[in-house]
Amino acid sequence: EKHFITERFDKYDLLARNTSGKTFYIQVKATTTDISDADQIAMPISIREWNFVFETKENDAYYLARVFNVNSNPTVYFMKLEKPQEL
Protein backbone atom coordinates (compact mmCIF):
# COMPACT_ATOMS: atom_id res chain seq x y z
CA GLU A 1 0.00 0.00 0.00
CA LYS A 2 1.37 3.44 -0.92
CA HIS A 3 1.14 6.48 1.33
CA PHE A 4 2.17 9.98 0.36
CA ILE A 5 3.27 12.67 2.78
CA THR A 6 2.26 16.23 1.96
CA GLU A 7 4.86 18.88 2.81
CA ARG A 8 3.42 20.96 5.63
CA PHE A 9 6.78 22.47 6.63
CA ASP A 10 6.44 20.87 10.06
CA LYS A 11 9.36 19.59 12.09
CA TYR A 12 8.27 15.99 11.50
CA ASP A 13 6.16 14.03 9.00
CA LEU A 14 4.47 11.37 11.14
CA LEU A 15 3.28 11.16 14.73
CA ALA A 16 2.64 7.90 16.59
CA ARG A 17 1.82 7.08 20.21
CA ASN A 18 2.04 3.74 21.97
CA THR A 19 -0.32 2.49 24.68
CA SER A 20 1.99 3.66 27.47
CA GLY A 21 1.78 7.25 26.22
CA LYS A 22 5.21 7.55 24.56
CA THR A 23 5.15 9.86 21.52
CA PHE A 24 7.20 9.07 18.41
CA TYR A 25 7.95 11.83 15.92
CA ILE A 26 9.20 10.58 12.55
CA GLN A 27 10.86 12.61 9.81
CA VAL A 28 10.87 10.75 6.46
CA LYS A 29 13.62 11.19 3.86
CA ALA A 30 13.16 9.20 0.64
CA THR A 31 15.40 8.51 -2.35
CA THR A 32 15.24 6.39 -5.48
CA THR A 33 18.84 5.35 -4.81
CA ASP A 34 19.77 1.89 -3.53
CA ILE A 35 21.23 1.51 0.00
CA SER A 36 24.52 0.34 -1.57
CA ASP A 37 25.06 3.93 -2.78
CA ALA A 38 24.11 5.55 0.54
CA ASP A 39 27.59 6.98 1.13
CA GLN A 40 27.37 8.96 -2.12
CA ILE A 41 24.09 10.77 -1.46
CA ALA A 42 23.37 13.64 0.88
CA MET A 43 20.73 13.39 3.56
CA PRO A 44 19.83 17.01 4.27
CA ILE A 45 18.23 17.84 7.60
CA SER A 46 16.90 21.36 7.98
CA ILE A 47 17.71 23.56 10.96
CA ARG A 48 14.01 23.41 11.84
CA GLU A 49 14.12 19.59 11.91
CA TRP A 50 17.42 19.41 13.83
CA ASN A 51 16.30 21.96 16.44
CA PHE A 52 13.21 19.84 17.09
CA VAL A 53 15.51 17.31 18.81
CA PHE A 54 15.88 19.86 21.61
CA GLU A 55 12.13 20.50 21.81
CA THR A 56 11.14 16.90 22.48
CA LYS A 57 10.22 15.85 25.99
CA GLU A 58 12.03 13.15 27.95
CA ASN A 59 9.38 10.52 27.15
CA ASP A 60 9.33 11.40 23.42
CA ALA A 61 11.41 9.89 20.62
CA TYR A 62 12.41 11.52 17.33
CA TYR A 63 13.39 9.26 14.43
CA LEU A 64 14.70 9.85 10.96
CA ALA A 65 13.26 7.28 8.54
CA ARG A 66 15.48 6.89 5.47
CA VAL A 67 13.63 5.17 2.60
CA PHE A 68 15.77 3.75 -0.23
CA ASN A 69 14.50 2.47 -3.61
CA VAL A 70 11.29 4.40 -3.07
CA ASN A 71 10.01 3.78 -6.63
CA SER A 72 10.68 0.06 -6.97
CA ASN A 73 11.32 -1.94 -3.79
CA PRO A 74 11.23 0.47 -0.82
CA THR A 75 13.41 -0.36 2.17
CA VAL A 76 13.32 1.78 5.30
CA TYR A 77 15.98 2.30 7.96
CA PHE A 78 15.42 4.23 11.18
CA MET A 79 17.90 6.43 13.04
CA LYS A 80 17.01 7.81 16.46
CA LEU A 81 17.96 11.46 16.90
CA GLU A 82 18.75 12.40 20.49
CA LYS A 83 19.92 15.42 22.42
CA PRO A 84 23.71 15.33 22.88
CA GLN A 85 25.00 14.38 26.31
CA GLU A 86 26.51 17.27 28.23
CA LEU A 87 30.21 16.88 28.99
Coordinates of all heavy atoms in Angstrom, one line a residue:
E1 N 0.9 -1.2 0.0 CA 0.0 0.0 0.0 C 0.9 1.2 0.0 O 1.9 1.3 0.7 CB -0.9 0.0 1.2 CG -1.9 1.1 1.3 CD -2.8 1.0 2.5 OE1 -2.9 -0.1 3.1 OE2 -3.5 1.9 2.8
K2 N 0.6 2.2 -0.8 CA 1.4 3.4 -0.9 C 0.7 4.5 -0.1 O -0.5 4.7 -0.1 CB 1.5 3.9 -2.4 CG 2.3 3.0 -3.2 CD 2.5 3.5 -4.6 CE 3.3 2.6 -5.4 NZ 3.6 3.1 -6.8
H3 N 1.6 5.3 0.6 CA 1.1 6.5 1.3 C 2.0 7.6 0.9 O 3.2 7.5 0.7 CB 1.3 6.2 2.8 CG 0.4 5.2 3.4 ND1 -0.9 5.3 3.7 CD2 0.7 3.8 3.5 CE1 -1.4 4.2 4.1 NE2 -0.4 3.3 4.0
F4 N 1.4 8.8 0.8 CA 2.2 10.0 0.4 C 2.1 11.0 1.5 O 1.0 11.3 2.0 CB 1.6 10.6 -0.9 CG 1.8 9.6 -2.1 CD1 0.7 8.7 -2.4 CD2 2.9 9.6 -2.8 CE1 0.9 7.8 -3.5 CE2 3.1 8.7 -3.9 CZ 2.1 7.8 -4.2
I5 N 3.2 11.6 1.7 CA 3.3 12.7 2.8 C 3.3 14.0 2.1 O 4.1 14.3 1.2 CB 4.5 12.5 3.6 CG1 4.5 11.2 4.4 CG2 4.7 13.7 4.6 CD1 5.7 10.8 5.1
T6 N 2.3 14.9 2.5 CA 2.3 16.2 2.0 C 3.1 17.2 2.8 O 3.1 17.1 4.0 CB 0.8 16.7 2.0 OG1 0.0 15.8 1.3 CG2 0.7 18.1 1.4
E7 N 4.0 17.9 2.1 CA 4.9 18.9 2.8 C 4.0 19.9 3.5 O 3.3 20.7 2.9 CB 5.8 19.5 1.8 CG 6.8 20.5 2.5 CD 7.6 19.9 3.6 OE1 8.5 19.1 3.2 OE2 7.5 20.3 4.7
R8 N 4.1 20.0 4.8 CA 3.4 21.0 5.6 C 4.4 21.9 6.3 O 4.0 22.8 7.0 CB 2.6 20.3 6.7 CG 1.5 19.3 6.2 CD 0.7 18.7 7.3 NE 1.5 18.3 8.5 CZ 2.0 17.1 8.7 NH1 1.8 16.1 7.9 NH2 2.7 16.9 9.8
F9 N 5.7 21.7 6.0 CA 6.8 22.5 6.6 C 6.8 22.3 8.1 O 7.1 23.3 8.9 CB 6.7 23.9 6.2 CG 6.9 24.0 4.7 CD1 5.8 24.2 3.9 CD2 8.1 23.9 4.1 CE1 5.9 24.3 2.5 CE2 8.3 24.0 2.7 CZ 7.2 24.2 1.9
D10 N 6.4 21.2 8.6 CA 6.4 20.9 10.1 C 7.8 20.3 10.4 O 8.6 20.1 9.5 CB 5.4 19.8 10.4 CG 4.0 20.4 10.5 OD1 3.9 21.6 10.7 OD2 3.0 19.6 10.4
K11 N 8.1 20.1 11.6 CA 9.4 19.6 12.1 C 9.4 18.1 12.0 O 10.5 17.5 12.2 CB 9.6 20.0 13.5 CG 9.6 21.6 13.6 CD 9.6 22.0 15.0 CE 9.5 23.5 15.1 NZ 9.2 24.0 16.4
Y12 N 8.3 17.4 11.7 CA 8.3 16.0 11.5 C 7.1 15.7 10.5 O 6.3 16.5 10.3 CB 8.0 15.3 12.8 CG 6.8 15.8 13.6 CD1 5.6 15.2 13.4 CD2 6.9 16.8 14.5 CE1 4.4 15.6 14.0 CE2 5.7 17.3 15.1 CZ 4.5 16.7 14.9 OH 3.4 17.1 15.5
D13 N 7.2 14.5 10.0 CA 6.2 14.0 9.0 C 5.1 13.2 9.6 O 3.9 13.3 9.2 CB 6.8 13.2 7.9 CG 7.7 14.1 7.0 OD1 7.3 15.2 6.7 OD2 8.8 13.6 6.6
L14 N 5.4 12.3 10.5 CA 4.5 11.4 11.1 C 4.5 11.5 12.7 O 5.6 11.7 13.3 CB 4.8 9.9 10.7 CG 4.9 9.7 9.2 CD1 5.4 8.3 8.9 CD2 3.5 9.8 8.6
L15 N 3.4 11.2 13.3 CA 3.3 11.2 14.7 C 2.6 9.8 15.1 O 1.6 9.5 14.6 CB 2.4 12.3 15.2 CG 2.1 12.4 16.7 CD1 3.4 12.9 17.5 CD2 1.0 13.3 17.0
A16 N 3.2 9.1 16.1 CA 2.6 7.9 16.6 C 2.7 7.9 18.1 O 3.6 8.5 18.7 CB 3.4 6.7 16.0
R17 N 1.8 7.2 18.7 CA 1.8 7.1 20.2 C 1.6 5.6 20.5 O 0.7 5.0 19.9 CB 0.8 7.9 20.9 CG 1.1 9.4 20.8 CD 0.1 10.2 21.7 NE 0.4 11.6 21.6 CZ -0.1 12.5 20.8 NH1 -1.0 12.1 19.9 NH2 0.3 13.7 20.7
N18 N 2.3 5.1 21.5 CA 2.0 3.7 22.0 C 1.1 3.8 23.2 O 0.7 4.8 23.7 CB 3.3 3.0 22.3 CG 4.1 3.5 23.5 OD1 3.6 4.3 24.2 ND2 5.3 3.0 23.6
T19 N 0.7 2.6 23.6 CA -0.3 2.5 24.7 C 0.2 3.0 26.0 O -0.6 3.4 26.9 CB -0.8 1.0 24.9 OG1 0.4 0.2 25.1 CG2 -1.5 0.5 23.6
S20 N 1.5 3.1 26.2 CA 2.0 3.7 27.5 C 2.2 5.2 27.4 O 2.7 5.8 28.4 CB 3.3 3.0 27.9 OG 4.3 3.3 26.9
G21 N 1.8 5.8 26.3 CA 1.8 7.2 26.2 C 3.0 7.8 25.6 O 3.2 9.1 25.5
K22 N 4.0 7.0 25.2 CA 5.2 7.6 24.6 C 4.9 8.1 23.2 O 4.1 7.4 22.4 CB 6.3 6.5 24.5 CG 7.6 7.0 23.9 CD 8.7 6.0 24.1 CE 10.0 6.6 23.6 NZ 11.2 6.0 24.2
T23 N 5.4 9.2 22.8 CA 5.2 9.9 21.5 C 6.4 9.7 20.6 O 7.5 9.9 21.1 CB 4.9 11.4 21.7 OG1 3.7 11.5 22.5 CG2 4.6 12.0 20.3
F24 N 6.1 9.3 19.4 CA 7.2 9.1 18.4 C 7.0 10.1 17.3 O 5.9 10.0 16.6 CB 7.2 7.6 17.9 CG 7.4 6.6 18.9 CD1 6.3 6.1 19.6 CD2 8.7 6.1 19.2 CE1 6.5 5.1 20.6 CE2 8.9 5.1 20.1 CZ 7.8 4.6 20.8
Y25 N 8.0 10.9 17.0 CA 8.0 11.8 15.9 C 8.9 11.2 14.9 O 10.0 10.8 15.2 CB 8.5 13.2 16.3 CG 7.6 13.8 17.4 CD1 8.0 13.7 18.8 CD2 6.5 14.5 17.1 CE1 7.2 14.3 19.8 CE2 5.7 15.1 18.1 CZ 6.1 15.0 19.4 OH 5.3 15.6 20.4
I26 N 8.4 11.2 13.6 CA 9.2 10.6 12.5 C 9.3 11.5 11.4 O 8.3 12.0 10.9 CB 8.5 9.3 12.1 CG1 8.4 8.3 13.3 CG2 9.4 8.6 11.0 CD1 7.4 7.2 13.0
Q27 N 10.6 11.8 11.0 CA 10.9 12.6 9.8 C 11.3 11.7 8.7 O 12.2 10.9 8.9 CB 12.0 13.6 10.1 CG 12.4 14.5 8.9 CD 11.3 15.4 8.4 OE1 10.5 15.8 9.2 NE2 11.2 15.6 7.2
V28 N 10.6 11.7 7.6 CA 10.9 10.7 6.5 C 11.7 11.4 5.4 O 11.4 12.5 4.9 CB 9.6 10.2 5.8 CG1 9.8 9.3 4.7 CG2 8.7 9.6 6.9
K29 N 12.8 10.7 5.0 CA 13.6 11.2 3.9 C 13.7 10.0 2.9 O 14.1 8.9 3.2 CB 15.0 11.5 4.3 CG 15.1 12.6 5.4 CD 14.9 13.9 4.8 CE 15.1 15.0 5.9 NZ 14.8 16.3 5.5
A30 N 13.2 10.3 1.6 CA 13.2 9.2 0.6 C 14.1 9.5 -0.5 O 14.3 10.6 -0.9 CB 11.7 9.0 0.2
T31 N 14.6 8.4 -1.2 CA 15.4 8.5 -2.3 C 15.1 7.3 -3.3 O 14.7 6.2 -2.8 CB 16.9 8.6 -2.0 OG1 17.7 8.7 -3.2 CG2 17.4 7.3 -1.2
T32 N 15.4 7.5 -4.5 CA 15.2 6.4 -5.5 C 16.5 5.6 -5.5 O 16.5 4.5 -6.1 CB 14.9 6.9 -6.9 OG1 16.0 7.8 -7.3 CG2 13.6 7.6 -7.0
T33 N 17.5 6.0 -4.8 CA 18.8 5.3 -4.8 C 18.8 4.1 -3.9 O 18.1 4.0 -3.0 CB 19.9 6.3 -4.2 OG1 19.8 7.5 -5.0 CG2 21.3 5.8 -4.3
D34 N 19.6 3.1 -4.3 CA 19.8 1.9 -3.5 C 20.7 2.1 -2.3 O 21.5 3.0 -2.3 CB 20.4 0.8 -4.4 CG 20.4 -0.5 -3.7 OD1 19.4 -1.2 -3.6 OD2 21.5 -0.9 -3.2
I35 N 20.5 1.4 -1.2 CA 21.2 1.5 0.0 C 22.7 1.3 -0.3 O 23.6 1.9 0.4 CB 20.7 0.5 1.1 CG1 21.5 0.7 2.4 CG2 20.9 -0.9 0.6 CD1 21.0 1.8 3.3
S36 N 23.1 0.6 -1.3 CA 24.5 0.3 -1.6 C 25.2 1.6 -2.0 O 26.5 1.7 -1.9 CB 24.7 -0.7 -2.7 OG 24.1 -0.3 -3.9
D37 N 24.5 2.6 -2.4 CA 25.1 3.9 -2.8 C 24.8 5.0 -1.7 O 25.0 6.2 -2.0 CB 24.5 4.4 -4.1 CG 24.8 3.5 -5.3 OD1 26.0 3.0 -5.3 OD2 24.0 3.3 -6.1
A38 N 24.5 4.6 -0.5 CA 24.1 5.5 0.5 C 25.2 6.5 0.9 O 25.0 7.7 1.2 CB 23.7 4.8 1.8
D39 N 26.5 6.1 0.8 CA 27.6 7.0 1.1 C 27.8 8.1 0.1 O 28.5 9.1 0.4 CB 28.9 6.2 1.3 CG 28.9 5.3 2.5 OD1 28.1 5.6 3.4 OD2 29.7 4.4 2.5
Q40 N 27.2 8.0 -1.1 CA 27.4 9.0 -2.1 C 26.2 10.0 -2.2 O 26.3 10.9 -3.0 CB 27.5 8.3 -3.5 CG 28.9 7.8 -3.8 CD 29.3 6.6 -2.9 OE1 28.6 5.7 -2.7 NE2 30.5 6.7 -2.4
I41 N 25.2 9.8 -1.4 CA 24.1 10.8 -1.5 C 23.9 11.5 -0.2 O 24.2 11.0 0.9 CB 22.8 10.1 -1.8 CG1 22.6 8.8 -0.9 CG2 22.7 9.7 -3.3 CD1 21.2 8.1 -1.2
A42 N 23.6 12.8 -0.3 CA 23.4 13.6 0.9 C 22.0 13.3 1.5 O 21.1 12.9 0.9 CB 23.4 15.1 0.5
M43 N 22.0 13.6 2.8 CA 20.7 13.4 3.6 C 20.5 14.7 4.3 O 20.8 14.8 5.5 CB 20.8 12.2 4.5 CG 19.5 11.9 5.2 SD 19.6 10.3 6.2 CE 20.9 10.7 7.3
P44 N 20.0 15.7 3.6 CA 19.8 17.0 4.3 C 18.8 17.0 5.4 O 17.7 16.4 5.2 CB 19.4 17.9 3.1 CG 18.8 17.0 2.1 CD 19.5 15.7 2.3
I45 N 19.1 17.6 6.5 CA 18.2 17.8 7.6 C 18.2 19.3 7.8 O 19.2 20.0 8.0 CB 18.7 17.1 8.9 CG1 18.8 15.6 8.6 CG2 17.8 17.4 10.0 CD1 19.4 14.8 9.8
S46 N 17.0 19.9 7.8 CA 16.9 21.4 8.0 C 17.2 21.8 9.4 O 17.1 20.9 10.4 CB 15.5 21.8 7.6 OG 14.6 21.4 8.6
I47 N 17.5 23.0 9.6 CA 17.7 23.6 11.0 C 16.4 23.4 11.8 O 16.5 23.0 13.0 CB 18.1 25.1 10.9 CG1 19.4 25.3 10.2 CG2 18.1 25.7 12.3 CD1 20.6 24.8 10.9
R48 N 15.3 23.6 11.2 CA 14.0 23.4 11.8 C 13.9 22.0 12.4 O 13.5 21.7 13.5 CB 12.9 23.8 10.8 CG 11.5 23.4 11.2 CD 10.5 23.8 10.1 NE 10.9 23.6 8.8 CZ 10.7 22.4 8.1 NH1 10.1 21.4 8.7 NH2 11.0 22.3 6.9
E49 N 14.2 21.0 11.5 CA 14.1 19.6 11.9 C 15.1 19.3 13.0 O 14.8 18.6 14.0 CB 14.3 18.7 10.7 CG 13.2 18.8 9.7 CD 13.6 18.2 8.3 OE1 14.8 17.9 8.1 OE2 12.7 18.1 7.5
W50 N 16.4 19.7 12.8 CA 17.4 19.4 13.8 C 17.1 20.0 15.2 O 17.2 19.4 16.2 CB 18.8 19.9 13.3 CG 19.8 19.6 14.3 CD1 20.5 20.6 15.1 CD2 20.3 18.4 14.8 NE1 21.4 20.0 15.9 CE2 21.3 18.6 15.8 CE3 20.0 17.0 14.5 CZ2 22.0 17.6 16.5 CZ3 20.7 16.0 15.2 CH2 21.6 16.3 16.1
N51 N 16.6 21.3 15.2 CA 16.3 22.0 16.4 C 15.2 21.3 17.2 O 15.0 21.4 18.4 CB 16.0 23.4 16.2 CG 17.2 24.2 15.9 OD1 18.3 23.9 16.3 ND2 17.0 25.4 15.3
F52 N 14.3 20.5 16.5 CA 13.2 19.8 17.1 C 13.7 18.8 18.1 O 13.0 18.5 19.0 CB 12.3 19.2 16.0 CG 11.0 18.6 16.6 CD1 10.1 19.4 17.2 CD2 10.8 17.3 16.6 CE1 8.9 18.9 17.8 CE2 9.7 16.7 17.1 CZ 8.7 17.5 17.7
V53 N 14.9 18.3 17.9 CA 15.5 17.3 18.8 C 15.5 17.9 20.2 O 15.2 17.2 21.2 CB 16.9 16.9 18.4 CG1 17.6 16.1 19.5 CG2 16.9 16.2 17.1
F54 N 15.8 19.2 20.3 CA 15.9 19.9 21.6 C 14.5 20.3 22.2 O 14.4 20.6 23.3 CB 16.8 21.1 21.5 CG 18.2 20.7 21.1 CD1 18.6 20.8 19.7 CD2 19.1 20.3 22.0 CE1 19.8 20.4 19.3 CE2 20.4 19.9 21.6 CZ 20.7 20.0 20.3
E55 N 13.5 20.2 21.4 CA 12.1 20.5 21.8 C 11.4 19.3 22.3 O 10.3 19.4 23.0 CB 11.3 21.1 20.7 CG 11.9 22.5 20.2 CD 11.2 23.0 19.0 OE1 10.0 22.6 18.7 OE2 11.9 23.7 18.2
T56 N 11.9 18.1 22.1 CA 11.1 16.9 22.5 C 11.3 16.7 24.0 O 12.2 17.1 24.6 CB 11.7 15.6 21.8 OG1 13.1 15.5 22.0 CG2 11.4 15.7 20.3
K57 N 10.2 16.1 24.5 CA 10.2 15.8 26.0 C 11.0 14.6 26.3 O 11.2 13.8 25.4 CB 8.8 15.8 26.5 CG 8.0 17.0 26.3 CD 6.6 16.8 26.6 CE 5.8 18.1 26.3 NZ 4.4 17.9 26.2
E58 N 11.2 14.3 27.5 CA 12.0 13.2 27.9 C 11.4 11.8 27.5 O 12.1 10.9 27.2 CB 12.2 13.2 29.5 CG 13.2 12.1 29.9 CD 13.5 12.2 31.4 OE1 13.7 13.4 31.9 OE2 13.6 11.2 32.1
N59 N 10.1 11.8 27.5 CA 9.4 10.5 27.2 C 9.1 10.4 25.6 O 8.5 9.4 25.2 CB 8.1 10.4 27.9 CG 7.5 9.0 27.9 OD1 8.2 8.0 28.0 ND2 6.2 8.9 27.8
D60 N 9.5 11.4 24.9 CA 9.3 11.4 23.4 C 10.5 10.8 22.7 O 11.6 10.7 23.3 CB 9.2 12.8 22.9 CG 7.9 13.5 23.4 OD1 7.0 12.8 23.9 OD2 7.9 14.8 23.3
A61 N 10.3 10.4 21.5 CA 11.4 9.9 20.6 C 11.3 10.5 19.2 O 10.2 10.7 18.7 CB 11.3 8.4 20.5
Y62 N 12.4 10.9 18.6 CA 12.4 11.5 17.3 C 13.3 10.7 16.4 O 14.4 10.4 16.7 CB 13.0 12.9 17.5 CG 12.9 13.8 16.2 CD1 11.9 13.8 15.3 CD2 14.0 14.6 15.9 CE1 11.8 14.6 14.2 CE2 14.0 15.5 14.8 CZ 12.9 15.4 14.0 OH 12.9 16.3 12.9
Y63 N 12.7 10.2 15.3 CA 13.4 9.3 14.4 C 13.5 9.8 13.0 O 12.5 10.5 12.6 CB 12.7 7.9 14.3 CG 12.9 7.0 15.5 CD1 12.0 7.1 16.6 CD2 13.9 6.1 15.6 CE1 12.2 6.3 17.7 CE2 14.1 5.3 16.7 CZ 13.2 5.4 17.8 OH 13.4 4.6 18.8
L64 N 14.6 9.6 12.4 CA 14.7 9.9 11.0 C 14.5 8.5 10.2 O 15.2 7.5 10.5 CB 16.1 10.4 10.7 CG 16.4 10.8 9.3 CD1 15.5 11.9 8.8 CD2 17.9 11.2 9.2
A65 N 13.5 8.5 9.3 CA 13.3 7.3 8.5 C 13.8 7.5 7.2 O 13.4 8.4 6.4 CB 11.8 7.0 8.5
R66 N 14.8 6.7 6.8 CA 15.5 6.9 5.5 C 15.0 5.8 4.6 O 15.2 4.6 4.9 CB 17.0 6.8 5.7 CG 17.8 7.0 4.4 CD 17.6 8.5 3.9 NE 18.7 8.8 3.0 CZ 18.5 9.5 1.9 NH1 17.3 10.0 1.7 NH2 19.5 9.8 1.2
V67 N 14.2 6.2 3.5 CA 13.6 5.2 2.6 C 14.4 5.1 1.3 O 14.6 6.1 0.6 CB 12.2 5.5 2.3 CG1 11.5 4.4 1.4 CG2 11.4 5.7 3.6
F68 N 15.0 4.0 1.0 CA 15.8 3.8 -0.2 C 14.9 3.0 -1.2 O 13.9 2.3 -0.9 CB 17.0 2.9 0.1 CG 18.0 3.7 0.9 CD1 18.0 3.6 2.3 CD2 19.0 4.5 0.3 CE1 18.9 4.3 3.1 CE2 19.9 5.2 1.1 CZ 19.9 5.1 2.5
N69 N 15.2 3.1 -2.5 CA 14.5 2.5 -3.6 C 13.0 2.8 -3.6 O 12.2 1.9 -3.7 CB 14.7 1.0 -3.6 CG 16.1 0.5 -3.8 OD1 16.8 1.1 -4.7 ND2 16.6 -0.4 -3.0
V70 N 12.7 4.0 -3.3 CA 11.3 4.4 -3.1 C 10.4 4.1 -4.2 O 9.2 3.8 -4.0 CB 11.2 5.9 -2.7 CG1 11.5 6.8 -3.8 CG2 9.9 6.2 -2.0
N71 N 10.9 4.0 -5.5 CA 10.0 3.8 -6.6 C 9.9 2.3 -7.0 O 8.9 2.0 -7.7 CB 10.5 4.5 -7.9 CG 10.3 6.0 -7.7 OD1 9.4 6.5 -7.0 ND2 11.1 6.8 -8.4
S72 N 10.8 1.5 -6.5 CA 10.7 0.1 -7.0 C 10.5 -0.9 -5.8 O 9.5 -1.6 -5.8 CB 11.9 -0.3 -7.7 OG 13.1 -0.1 -6.9
N73 N 11.4 -1.0 -4.9 CA 11.3 -1.9 -3.8 C 11.7 -1.2 -2.5 O 12.8 -1.4 -2.0 CB 12.2 -3.1 -4.1 CG 12.1 -4.2 -3.0 OD1 11.1 -4.3 -2.3 ND2 13.1 -5.0 -2.9
P74 N 10.9 -0.4 -2.0 CA 11.2 0.5 -0.8 C 11.7 -0.3 0.4 O 11.2 -1.3 0.8 CB 9.9 1.2 -0.5 CG 9.1 1.0 -1.6 CD 9.5 -0.2 -2.3
T75 N 12.8 0.2 0.9 CA 13.4 -0.4 2.2 C 13.6 0.8 3.1 O 14.2 1.8 2.7 CB 14.7 -1.1 1.9 OG1 14.5 -2.0 0.9 CG2 15.3 -1.7 3.1
V76 N 13.2 0.7 4.4 CA 13.3 1.8 5.3 C 14.3 1.4 6.4 O 14.3 0.3 6.9 CB 11.9 2.2 5.9 CG1 11.3 1.1 6.7 CG2 12.0 3.5 6.7
Y77 N 15.1 2.4 6.8 CA 16.0 2.3 8.0 C 15.7 3.5 8.9 O 15.4 4.6 8.4 CB 17.4 2.4 7.5 CG 17.8 1.2 6.6 CD1 17.6 1.3 5.2 CD2 18.4 0.1 7.2 CE1 17.9 0.2 4.4 CE2 18.7 -1.0 6.3 CZ 18.5 -0.9 5.0 OH 18.8 -2.0 4.2
F78 N 15.7 3.2 10.2 CA 15.4 4.2 11.2 C 16.7 4.6 12.0 O 17.5 3.8 12.3 CB 14.4 3.7 12.2 CG 13.0 3.6 11.6 CD1 12.6 2.4 11.0 CD2 12.1 4.6 11.5 CE1 11.3 2.2 10.5 CE2 10.9 4.5 11.0 CZ 10.5 3.3 10.4
M79 N 16.8 5.9 12.2 CA 17.9 6.4 13.0 C 17.3 7.3 14.1 O 16.5 8.2 13.8 CB 18.9 7.3 12.2 CG 20.0 7.8 13.0 SD 21.3 8.7 12.0 CE 20.4 9.8 11.1
K80 N 17.6 7.0 15.4 CA 17.0 7.8 16.5 C 17.9 9.0 16.7 O 19.1 8.9 16.8 CB 17.0 7.0 17.7 CG 16.3 7.7 18.9 CD 16.1 6.8 20.1 CE 15.3 7.6 21.2 NZ 15.1 6.7 22.4
L81 N 17.3 10.2 16.7 CA 18.0 11.5 16.9 C 17.7 11.8 18.4 O 16.6 11.9 18.8 CB 17.4 12.6 16.0 CG 17.5 12.3 14.5 CD1 16.9 13.4 13.7 CD2 19.0 12.1 14.0
E82 N 18.8 12.1 19.1 CA 18.7 12.4 20.5 C 19.5 13.7 20.8 O 20.5 14.0 20.1 CB 19.3 11.2 21.3 CG 18.5 10.0 21.2 CD 19.1 8.9 22.0 OE1 20.3 8.7 22.2 OE2 18.3 8.1 22.6
K83 N 19.2 14.3 21.9 CA 19.9 15.4 22.4 C 21.3 14.9 22.8 O 21.5 13.9 23.4 CB 19.2 16.0 23.7 CG 17.8 16.5 23.4 CD 17.2 16.9 24.7 CE 15.7 17.1 24.4 NZ 15.0 17.4 25.7
P84 N 22.3 15.7 22.5 CA 23.7 15.3 22.9 C 23.9 15.3 24.4 O 23.2 16.1 25.1 CB 24.6 16.4 22.2 CG 23.7 17.3 21.5 CD 22.3 16.9 21.7
Q85 N 24.7 14.4 24.9 CA 25.0 14.4 26.3 C 25.9 15.5 26.7 O 26.8 15.9 25.9 CB 25.7 13.1 26.7 CG 24.9 11.8 26.4 CD 23.8 11.7 27.4 OE1 23.9 12.1 28.6 NE2 22.6 11.2 26.9
E86 N 25.7 16.2 27.8 CA 26.5 17.3 28.2 C 27.8 16.7 28.8 O 27.8 15.7 29.5 CB 25.8 18.1 29.3 CG 24.6 18.9 28.7 CD 24.1 19.9 29.7 OE1 24.9 20.5 30.5 OE2 22.9 20.1 29.7
L87 N 28.9 17.3 28.5 CA 30.2 16.9 29.0 C 30.5 17.3 30.4 O 30.1 18.3 30.9 CB 31.3 17.4 28.1 CG 31.2 16.9 26.6 CD1 32.3 17.5 25.8 CD2 31.3 15.4 26.6

